[in-house]
Amino acid sequence: MKKTKIDHYTDKEALDYHRHNKPGKIEISSSKNMTTKRDLALAYSPGVAAPVKAISENPETAFDYTSKGNLVAVISNGSAILGMGNLGALASKPVMEGKAVLFKRFADIDSIDLEIDSQDHNEIINSVKNFAPSFGGINLEDIAAPDCFIIEEKLKEILDIPVFHDDQHGTAIITTAALINALDITKKKIDEVKIVVNGAGASAMACANLFKKSGVPKKNITMVDRTGVIYSGRENLNQWKTAHAIETKHRTLSDAINNADVFLGLSAKGALTKDMVKTMGKNPIIFACANPDPEIKPEEVAEVRNDAIMATGRSDYPNQVNNLIGFPYIFRGALDVRSKTINEEMKIAAAHAIANLAKEEVPDEVVAAMGGERPHYGKDYIIPSTFDPRLISVIPAAVAKAAIDSGVARINIKDFGNYKDQLRQRLDPTVTIMQGINNYIKKKPKKVIFADGEDENMLKAAIAFKNSNLGVPILVGKEDLIKNQLKKIGYSENFDIEITNSKDAKKREKYVKYLFRKLQRNKGMLERDCDRLIRNDRVIWASCMVACKDADAMVTGNTRRYSSSLEKITQVVDPRAGEIMFGLNLIVNRGKTIFICDTSVIEYPDANQLAEMAKSAARVVRLFGFDPKVAFLSHSTFGEPATDRTKRLSDAVKILKKEKVDFKFDGEMQPDVALEELYKELYPFSEIVGNSNVLIMPSQHSAAISYKMIKSMSRAKVIGPLLIGLGLPIEIAPLRTSTSEIINLASIAAYSADVIDYKNN
């Protein structure tokens, strides 16, 4: 279910992605300062002796003095890789590194992949047993049945840390959550429904087991494998299939599905037919979870039934059964209470937490994260979206509480409200922001120009934009050069993507007339000068396309300096009415999100410009789902020391106070005062000291230097600079911008084209 294959890239791009910069997807970094001789002495010899002695005397203190409590081992022998089969331990490493990345992204859990080159389950068990003391949890992945059952069962017996086979239990938990809500909507009782499970692999058996633990009688679940119904007395059943055998006269899926309430498919494309669906009971519940193609498509079900609730494993249909909703958050809750295992109570708690979250009214900040759509509990919304930022606080808390209540937790959580707040602070909000923006623009696709179409990164970004259904990309460049680049990165030179340039005589004539009308008086340009600009500069050409409504938005840059691109654009496009232009960067580092401006346009803004910048920045920050708290930064704090250069900043604060704006602001102040809570007690009169998130810099050079140093010297995630205040939705990528960063800017431009009013420009 979690392994959908979507071709948004070529094999070469995937290989380049894994090889680029550092090979692979994970690395180890120090959580402590390692800059001085004293740091090294504390980290290793002789300082390390103290925690060594403490752990030898009390092994539980390993959770206090090492990374054990937030470290999960991702284990595989490569015997069942992504549905591709037994390709061996080494071949599974990219998948297991990917799993480790998902743990970090969704739940801030550190993990290490360990591939065991053995097909002997006893050898695997012994290997894991011997290195398990280093870890707080074990995640088993892509191990073929029946070895996955044997390995998990034995490890749970001998280890005192959580052992979890996600292929089984992650699927089971999400599916059980979906079942709980589907039964609620259809007014069916869990102890009365008839369920057919098509498939008898690890995930199917785990789902059946959790259904039973949740209240479905064993006799009401019919499991079907390739041979047919698993019934009592059938020959050649292994011990795991035997556990699901029931007394029944049914022998085929067609027999079993007749008058059934629920179908769960974990099998293959086309296994469930429309004729079978017709025979199901009233208000049937159909979970067709085979990937990439389900057992039956929702539109096929709709042709024969209008009373069905449908879920699949795919993101392009409602009700996606996706393991990402489960395993990171389940481990997060288990690790946080140092649980000895992940028991049935914890799984059921996770399922109910997921189900209950779908029933809750979706708040505005979640709507923003999900692209502007407010889902409502019902047949098309029985499972929360993977975009829902509430998952990180809801599921771990439920799992942790169940661990405490069932007696497998080593530590107690006294204040769950505080615990949930801590959980919310763990994640990178830029991912949720971009997911929300992308989800929004998919519903209202725009034509977006990628002005530097011959550049490799820009071309890759345009292709990914198209293949991800984010909108319609238009490349500006010479057709033969773009086709050569397409072949270079692994695509056919006839790849279906629009290419435009100044050879288009009809468009060129239109753009020349537009530009001449605009520049003939205020720039003194002749028509032939405008024609020369249109012919020779792709940024001018692309900007005219947006201005003349032949496209909705644009991204450029990457091949030239930011200021050069901006100069070209502003010949074609004016600022928005009543606004100033400036650059705004979103930066996330160590769980804190800040916005910095002006990073790219106004060299030395005066007090009025600083105040206007603050107002525009506050508006944009709200579009991203944040409550703006604006700090005007300087080398001084509240007039100490007072200089001529600080007066502009304090004057900007006075201007905003007179205008009675609807956001919090203060200044001037030094950056540490704006960002670090320890200064609150020194300046109790200010509401934003220690918690500012919008930093207005005193000049462009200080802003640009600051954000580029942060980006280069730390692990900060940066989006931007975003060009705020321009009269059309155009973004400029700095030199050497990555493909992913260009896609983000293109998405933001497309989003701006829909949510910002450009009519008066």
Side-chain angles (χ1 to χ4, degrees), residues 595-645:
F595 296 80
I596 294 180
C597 59
D598 169 20
T599 56
S600 53
V601 181
I602 306 173
E603 184 176 356
Y604 196 70
D606 60 29
N608 285 309
Q609 289 173 318
L610 289 167
E612 290 300 317
M613 205 181 292
K615 290 190 289 186
S616 293
R619 172 179 55 81
V620 173
V621 166
R622 284 195 172 114
L623 283 176
F624 282 113
F626 293 87
D627 180 24
K629 302 178 184 68
V630 179
F632 291 86
L633 296 193
S634 175
H635 69 287
S636 65
T637 298
F638 299 124
E640 181 56 42
T643 69
D644 290 341
R645 291 183 176 269

Short mmCIF file of all heavy atoms in Angstrom, two decimals, residues 595-645:
data_model
loop_
_atom_site.label_atom_id
_atom_site.label_comp_id
_atom_site.label_asym_id
_atom_site.label_seq_id
_atom_site.Cartn_x
_atom_site.Cartn_y
_atom_site.Cartn_z
N PHE A 595 11.04 34.42 8.82
CA PHE A 595 11.00 35.06 7.51
C PHE A 595 11.94 36.27 7.56
O PHE A 595 11.86 37.07 8.50
CB PHE A 595 9.59 35.53 7.17
CG PHE A 595 8.59 34.41 7.03
CD1 PHE A 595 8.01 33.81 8.14
CD2 PHE A 595 8.22 33.94 5.77
CE1 PHE A 595 7.09 32.78 8.02
CE2 PHE A 595 7.30 32.91 5.63
CZ PHE A 595 6.74 32.33 6.76
N ILE A 596 12.81 36.41 6.57
CA ILE A 596 13.78 37.50 6.54
C ILE A 596 13.52 38.37 5.31
O ILE A 596 13.36 37.87 4.20
CB ILE A 596 15.23 36.96 6.49
CG1 ILE A 596 15.58 36.23 7.78
CG2 ILE A 596 16.22 38.09 6.26
CD1 ILE A 596 16.98 35.66 7.81
N CYS A 597 13.52 39.70 5.50
CA CYS A 597 13.41 40.61 4.37
C CYS A 597 14.13 41.92 4.73
O CYS A 597 14.37 42.19 5.90
CB CYS A 597 11.94 40.88 4.02
SG CYS A 597 10.97 41.58 5.35
N ASP A 598 14.56 42.71 3.76
CA ASP A 598 14.50 42.49 2.33
C ASP A 598 15.84 41.90 1.89
O ASP A 598 16.88 42.50 2.13
CB ASP A 598 14.22 43.81 1.64
CG ASP A 598 14.39 43.80 0.12
OD1 ASP A 598 14.34 42.71 -0.47
OD2 ASP A 598 14.57 44.87 -0.46
N THR A 599 15.79 40.76 1.22
CA THR A 599 17.02 40.06 0.86
C THR A 599 17.49 40.33 -0.56
O THR A 599 18.55 39.85 -0.94
CB THR A 599 16.81 38.54 1.01
OG1 THR A 599 15.69 38.14 0.21
CG2 THR A 599 16.56 38.15 2.45
N SER A 600 16.72 41.10 -1.36
CA SER A 600 17.09 41.13 -2.77
C SER A 600 16.75 42.39 -3.57
O SER A 600 17.13 42.48 -4.73
CB SER A 600 16.46 39.94 -3.49
OG SER A 600 15.07 39.89 -3.26
N VAL A 601 16.04 43.38 -3.01
CA VAL A 601 15.57 44.48 -3.87
C VAL A 601 16.05 45.85 -3.39
O VAL A 601 16.79 46.53 -4.09
CB VAL A 601 14.02 44.47 -3.98
CG1 VAL A 601 13.54 45.60 -4.89
CG2 VAL A 601 13.53 43.12 -4.52
N ILE A 602 15.62 46.30 -2.21
CA ILE A 602 15.88 47.68 -1.77
C ILE A 602 17.18 47.71 -0.96
O ILE A 602 17.28 47.10 0.10
CB ILE A 602 14.72 48.23 -0.92
CG1 ILE A 602 13.40 48.10 -1.67
CG2 ILE A 602 14.97 49.68 -0.55
CD1 ILE A 602 12.19 48.46 -0.84
N GLU A 603 18.15 48.45 -1.46
CA GLU A 603 19.47 48.43 -0.83
C GLU A 603 19.46 49.02 0.58
O GLU A 603 20.02 48.45 1.50
CB GLU A 603 20.49 49.18 -1.70
CG GLU A 603 21.90 49.10 -1.12
CD GLU A 603 22.93 49.76 -2.02
OE1 GLU A 603 22.57 50.22 -3.12
OE2 GLU A 603 24.10 49.82 -1.60
N TYR A 604 18.82 50.17 0.74
CA TYR A 604 18.86 50.85 2.04
C TYR A 604 17.50 51.51 2.28
O TYR A 604 17.31 52.70 2.05
CB TYR A 604 19.98 51.89 2.05
CG TYR A 604 20.36 52.36 3.44
CD1 TYR A 604 21.02 51.51 4.33
CD2 TYR A 604 20.08 53.65 3.86
CE1 TYR A 604 21.38 51.94 5.60
CE2 TYR A 604 20.43 54.10 5.12
CZ TYR A 604 21.08 53.24 5.98
OH TYR A 604 21.43 53.66 7.25
N PRO A 605 16.49 50.75 2.75
CA PRO A 605 15.13 51.28 2.87
C PRO A 605 15.01 52.35 3.96
O PRO A 605 15.67 52.28 5.00
CB PRO A 605 14.31 50.04 3.25
CG PRO A 605 15.29 49.10 3.88
CD PRO A 605 16.60 49.34 3.20
N ASP A 606 14.15 53.34 3.69
CA ASP A 606 13.89 54.36 4.71
C ASP A 606 12.79 53.86 5.64
O ASP A 606 12.27 52.75 5.49
CB ASP A 606 13.51 55.70 4.06
CG ASP A 606 12.26 55.62 3.18
OD1 ASP A 606 11.37 54.77 3.45
OD2 ASP A 606 12.16 56.41 2.22
N ALA A 607 12.40 54.68 6.59
CA ALA A 607 11.44 54.26 7.62
C ALA A 607 10.09 53.87 7.01
O ALA A 607 9.48 52.87 7.41
CB ALA A 607 11.26 55.37 8.65
N ASN A 608 9.63 54.66 6.05
CA ASN A 608 8.34 54.35 5.42
C ASN A 608 8.40 53.03 4.66
O ASN A 608 7.46 52.23 4.70
CB ASN A 608 7.92 55.48 4.48
CG ASN A 608 7.42 56.70 5.23
OD1 ASN A 608 6.56 56.59 6.10
ND2 ASN A 608 7.98 57.86 4.92
N GLN A 609 9.50 52.80 3.96
CA GLN A 609 9.66 51.54 3.23
C GLN A 609 9.74 50.36 4.19
O GLN A 609 9.18 49.29 3.92
CB GLN A 609 10.91 51.60 2.35
CG GLN A 609 10.77 52.53 1.15
CD GLN A 609 12.07 52.71 0.39
OE1 GLN A 609 13.14 52.86 1.00
NE2 GLN A 609 12.00 52.69 -0.93
N LEU A 610 10.42 50.54 5.30
CA LEU A 610 10.50 49.47 6.29
C LEU A 610 9.12 49.14 6.85
O LEU A 610 8.77 47.96 7.03
CB LEU A 610 11.44 49.89 7.43
CG LEU A 610 12.94 49.94 7.10
CD1 LEU A 610 13.70 50.66 8.21
CD2 LEU A 610 13.50 48.54 6.90
N ALA A 611 8.32 50.17 7.11
CA ALA A 611 6.97 49.95 7.62
C ALA A 611 6.09 49.24 6.59
O ALA A 611 5.35 48.30 6.92
CB ALA A 611 6.34 51.28 8.03
N GLU A 612 6.19 49.68 5.33
CA GLU A 612 5.41 49.03 4.27
C GLU A 612 5.85 47.58 4.09
O GLU A 612 5.03 46.68 3.84
CB GLU A 612 5.58 49.80 2.95
CG GLU A 612 4.90 51.16 2.93
CD GLU A 612 3.40 51.05 3.14
OE1 GLU A 612 2.78 50.14 2.55
OE2 GLU A 612 2.84 51.85 3.92
N MET A 613 7.14 47.36 4.20
CA MET A 613 7.68 46.01 4.09
C MET A 613 7.08 45.11 5.17
O MET A 613 6.70 43.96 4.92
CB MET A 613 9.20 46.09 4.23
CG MET A 613 9.98 44.96 3.58
SD MET A 613 11.75 45.22 3.87
CE MET A 613 12.04 46.69 2.89
N ALA A 614 7.01 45.63 6.38
CA ALA A 614 6.45 44.86 7.50
C ALA A 614 5.00 44.49 7.24
O ALA A 614 4.57 43.36 7.49
CB ALA A 614 6.58 45.66 8.79
N LYS A 615 4.22 45.44 6.70
CA LYS A 615 2.80 45.16 6.44
C LYS A 615 2.63 44.10 5.36
O LYS A 615 1.81 43.18 5.50
CB LYS A 615 2.09 46.46 6.05
CG LYS A 615 1.94 47.45 7.21
CD LYS A 615 1.03 48.61 6.86
CE LYS A 615 1.66 49.55 5.88
NZ LYS A 615 0.84 50.76 5.63
N SER A 616 3.40 44.22 4.29
CA SER A 616 3.30 43.23 3.21
C SER A 616 3.79 41.86 3.67
O SER A 616 3.19 40.83 3.34
CB SER A 616 4.10 43.69 1.99
OG SER A 616 3.53 44.83 1.40
N ALA A 617 4.88 41.86 4.43
CA ALA A 617 5.41 40.59 4.93
C ALA A 617 4.40 39.90 5.83
O ALA A 617 4.21 38.68 5.76
CB ALA A 617 6.72 40.83 5.67
N ALA A 618 3.73 40.67 6.69
CA ALA A 618 2.72 40.10 7.58
C ALA A 618 1.59 39.45 6.79
O ALA A 618 1.11 38.37 7.13
CB ALA A 618 2.18 41.17 8.51
N ARG A 619 1.18 40.11 5.70
CA ARG A 619 0.12 39.55 4.85
C ARG A 619 0.56 38.22 4.23
O ARG A 619 -0.19 37.24 4.24
CB ARG A 619 -0.22 40.56 3.74
CG ARG A 619 -1.17 40.02 2.68
CD ARG A 619 -1.50 41.08 1.63
NE ARG A 619 -0.32 41.64 1.01
CZ ARG A 619 0.36 41.06 0.02
NH1 ARG A 619 -0.04 39.89 -0.45
NH2 ARG A 619 1.42 41.65 -0.50
N VAL A 620 1.78 38.17 3.72
CA VAL A 620 2.28 36.96 3.08
C VAL A 620 2.47 35.84 4.10
O VAL A 620 2.13 34.68 3.85
CB VAL A 620 3.60 37.25 2.33
CG1 VAL A 620 4.21 35.96 1.79
CG2 VAL A 620 3.36 38.24 1.20
N VAL A 621 3.00 36.18 5.26
CA VAL A 621 3.24 35.19 6.31
C VAL A 621 1.92 34.54 6.72
O VAL A 621 1.86 33.32 6.97
CB VAL A 621 3.94 35.85 7.51
CG1 VAL A 621 3.90 34.97 8.74
CG2 VAL A 621 5.39 36.18 7.14
N ARG A 622 0.86 35.30 6.76
CA ARG A 622 -0.46 34.73 7.08
C ARG A 622 -0.92 33.76 5.99
O ARG A 622 -1.56 32.76 6.28
CB ARG A 622 -1.48 35.85 7.26
CG ARG A 622 -1.35 36.58 8.60
CD ARG A 622 -2.60 37.41 8.90
NE ARG A 622 -2.55 37.94 10.25
CZ ARG A 622 -2.44 39.24 10.55
NH1 ARG A 622 -2.39 40.14 9.57
NH2 ARG A 622 -2.40 39.63 11.80
N LEU A 623 -0.59 34.07 4.72
CA LEU A 623 -0.95 33.15 3.64
C LEU A 623 -0.28 31.79 3.84
O LEU A 623 -0.79 30.76 3.42
CB LEU A 623 -0.53 33.73 2.29
CG LEU A 623 -1.41 34.83 1.70
CD1 LEU A 623 -0.79 35.36 0.41
CD2 LEU A 623 -2.82 34.32 1.43
N PHE A 624 0.89 31.79 4.48
CA PHE A 624 1.61 30.56 4.76
C PHE A 624 1.14 29.89 6.04
O PHE A 624 1.66 28.84 6.43
CB PHE A 624 3.11 30.82 4.84
CG PHE A 624 3.78 30.98 3.51
CD1 PHE A 624 4.31 32.19 3.11
CD2 PHE A 624 3.88 29.92 2.63
CE1 PHE A 624 4.93 32.34 1.89
CE2 PHE A 624 4.50 30.05 1.40
CZ PHE A 624 5.03 31.27 1.02
N GLY A 625 0.19 30.49 6.74
CA GLY A 625 -0.37 29.85 7.92
C GLY A 625 0.27 30.23 9.23
O GLY A 625 0.06 29.57 10.25
N PHE A 626 1.06 31.31 9.26
CA PHE A 626 1.73 31.73 10.49
C PHE A 626 1.12 33.04 11.02
O PHE A 626 0.62 33.85 10.25
CB PHE A 626 3.23 31.96 10.24
CG PHE A 626 4.00 30.70 9.93
CD1 PHE A 626 4.09 30.24 8.63
CD2 PHE A 626 4.61 29.98 10.94
CE1 PHE A 626 4.79 29.09 8.33
CE2 PHE A 626 5.32 28.83 10.65
CZ PHE A 626 5.41 28.38 9.34
N ASP A 627 1.22 33.22 12.33
CA ASP A 627 0.80 34.46 12.97
C ASP A 627 2.02 35.39 13.00
O ASP A 627 3.00 35.10 13.70
CB ASP A 627 0.31 34.19 14.39
CG ASP A 627 -0.12 35.46 15.10
OD1 ASP A 627 -0.47 36.44 14.41
OD2 ASP A 627 -0.09 35.47 16.35
N PRO A 628 2.03 36.49 12.23
CA PRO A 628 3.24 37.30 12.12
C PRO A 628 3.60 38.04 13.41
O PRO A 628 2.74 38.66 14.05
CB PRO A 628 2.90 38.29 11.00
CG PRO A 628 1.41 38.36 10.97
CD PRO A 628 0.92 37.01 11.39
N LYS A 629 4.86 37.94 13.79
CA LYS A 629 5.43 38.70 14.91
C LYS A 629 6.70 39.35 14.38
O LYS A 629 7.72 38.69 14.22
CB LYS A 629 5.72 37.78 16.10
CG LYS A 629 4.49 37.03 16.62
CD LYS A 629 4.87 36.11 17.77
CE LYS A 629 3.69 35.27 18.23
NZ LYS A 629 3.27 34.28 17.21
N VAL A 630 6.62 40.65 14.12
CA VAL A 630 7.64 41.35 13.33
C VAL A 630 8.65 42.05 14.24
O VAL A 630 8.27 42.83 15.12
CB VAL A 630 6.98 42.38 12.40
CG1 VAL A 630 8.03 43.13 11.59
CG2 VAL A 630 5.98 41.69 11.47
N ALA A 631 9.93 41.78 13.98
CA ALA A 631 11.02 42.45 14.70
C ALA A 631 11.85 43.25 13.71
O ALA A 631 12.27 42.72 12.67
CB ALA A 631 11.89 41.44 15.42
N PHE A 632 12.09 44.52 14.01
CA PHE A 632 12.99 45.35 13.21
C PHE A 632 14.39 45.20 13.80
O PHE A 632 14.65 45.60 14.95
CB PHE A 632 12.55 46.81 13.24
CG PHE A 632 11.25 47.05 12.51
CD1 PHE A 632 10.03 46.89 13.15
CD2 PHE A 632 11.26 47.43 11.17
CE1 PHE A 632 8.84 47.11 12.47
CE2 PHE A 632 10.06 47.65 10.49
CZ PHE A 632 8.86 47.49 11.13
N LEU A 633 15.29 44.61 13.03
CA LEU A 633 16.60 44.24 13.57
C LEU A 633 17.65 45.33 13.36
O LEU A 633 17.61 46.09 12.40
CB LEU A 633 17.09 42.94 12.92
CG LEU A 633 16.28 41.68 13.17
CD1 LEU A 633 17.07 40.46 12.73
CD2 LEU A 633 15.88 41.54 14.64
N SER A 634 18.59 45.34 14.29
CA SER A 634 19.67 46.31 14.25
C SER A 634 20.82 45.80 15.11
O SER A 634 20.73 44.72 15.72
CB SER A 634 19.18 47.66 14.79
OG SER A 634 20.24 48.59 14.86
N HIS A 635 21.92 46.58 15.16
CA HIS A 635 23.01 46.26 16.09
C HIS A 635 22.69 46.76 17.50
O HIS A 635 23.41 46.47 18.44
CB HIS A 635 24.32 46.89 15.61
CG HIS A 635 24.33 48.39 15.71
ND1 HIS A 635 23.61 49.19 14.85
CD2 HIS A 635 24.95 49.24 16.58
CE1 HIS A 635 23.80 50.46 15.16
NE2 HIS A 635 24.61 50.52 16.22
N SER A 636 21.58 47.49 17.63
CA SER A 636 21.19 48.04 18.94
C SER A 636 19.86 47.45 19.37
O SER A 636 19.12 46.89 18.57
CB SER A 636 21.07 49.57 18.85
OG SER A 636 20.01 49.92 17.98
N THR A 637 19.54 47.59 20.65
CA THR A 637 18.27 47.11 21.18
C THR A 637 17.58 48.24 21.93
O THR A 637 18.10 48.72 22.95
CB THR A 637 18.48 45.91 22.12
OG1 THR A 637 19.07 44.84 21.37
CG2 THR A 637 17.16 45.43 22.70
N PHE A 638 16.43 48.65 21.41
CA PHE A 638 15.61 49.70 22.04
C PHE A 638 16.44 50.94 22.40
O PHE A 638 16.40 51.44 23.52
CB PHE A 638 14.89 49.15 23.27
CG PHE A 638 13.95 48.02 22.96
CD1 PHE A 638 14.08 46.80 23.61
CD2 PHE A 638 12.95 48.15 22.01
CE1 PHE A 638 13.23 45.74 23.31
CE2 PHE A 638 12.09 47.10 21.72
CZ PHE A 638 12.23 45.89 22.37
N GLY A 639 17.25 51.40 21.40
CA GLY A 639 17.97 52.66 21.56
C GLY A 639 19.31 52.58 22.24
O GLY A 639 19.89 53.63 22.55
N GLU A 640 19.82 51.40 22.47
CA GLU A 640 21.12 51.27 23.14
C GLU A 640 22.04 50.36 22.32
O GLU A 640 21.82 49.13 22.26
CB GLU A 640 20.95 50.70 24.55
CG GLU A 640 22.24 50.54 25.33
CD GLU A 640 23.05 51.82 25.45
OE1 GLU A 640 22.45 52.89 25.69
OE2 GLU A 640 24.28 51.74 25.30
N PRO A 641 23.06 50.90 21.62
CA PRO A 641 23.35 52.33 21.51
C PRO A 641 22.49 52.99 20.44
O PRO A 641 22.11 52.35 19.47
CB PRO A 641 24.82 52.34 21.11
CG PRO A 641 24.98 51.09 20.30
CD PRO A 641 24.08 50.07 20.94
N ALA A 642 22.20 54.26 20.60
CA ALA A 642 21.40 55.02 19.63
C ALA A 642 22.34 55.66 18.62
O ALA A 642 23.30 56.34 18.99
CB ALA A 642 20.58 56.08 20.34
N THR A 643 22.06 55.43 17.33
CA THR A 643 22.87 56.02 16.26
C THR A 643 21.93 56.51 15.16
O THR A 643 20.74 56.20 15.15
CB THR A 643 23.86 55.00 15.67
OG1 THR A 643 23.12 54.01 14.95
CG2 THR A 643 24.69 54.32 16.74
N ASP A 644 22.53 57.22 14.21
CA ASP A 644 21.74 57.69 13.08
C ASP A 644 21.15 56.53 12.29
O ASP A 644 20.05 56.62 11.74
CB ASP A 644 22.61 58.55 12.15
CG ASP A 644 22.98 59.89 12.79
OD1 ASP A 644 22.28 60.28 13.74
OD2 ASP A 644 23.95 60.51 12.34
N ARG A 645 21.86 55.41 12.24
CA ARG A 645 21.42 54.27 11.45
C ARG A 645 20.27 53.50 12.11
O ARG A 645 19.57 52.75 11.45
CB ARG A 645 22.59 53.33 11.18
CG ARG A 645 23.61 53.93 10.24
CD ARG A 645 24.74 52.97 9.93
NE ARG A 645 25.64 53.54 8.95
CZ ARG A 645 25.53 53.40 7.63
NH1 ARG A 645 24.50 52.71 7.14
NH2 ARG A 645 26.39 53.94 6.80
#
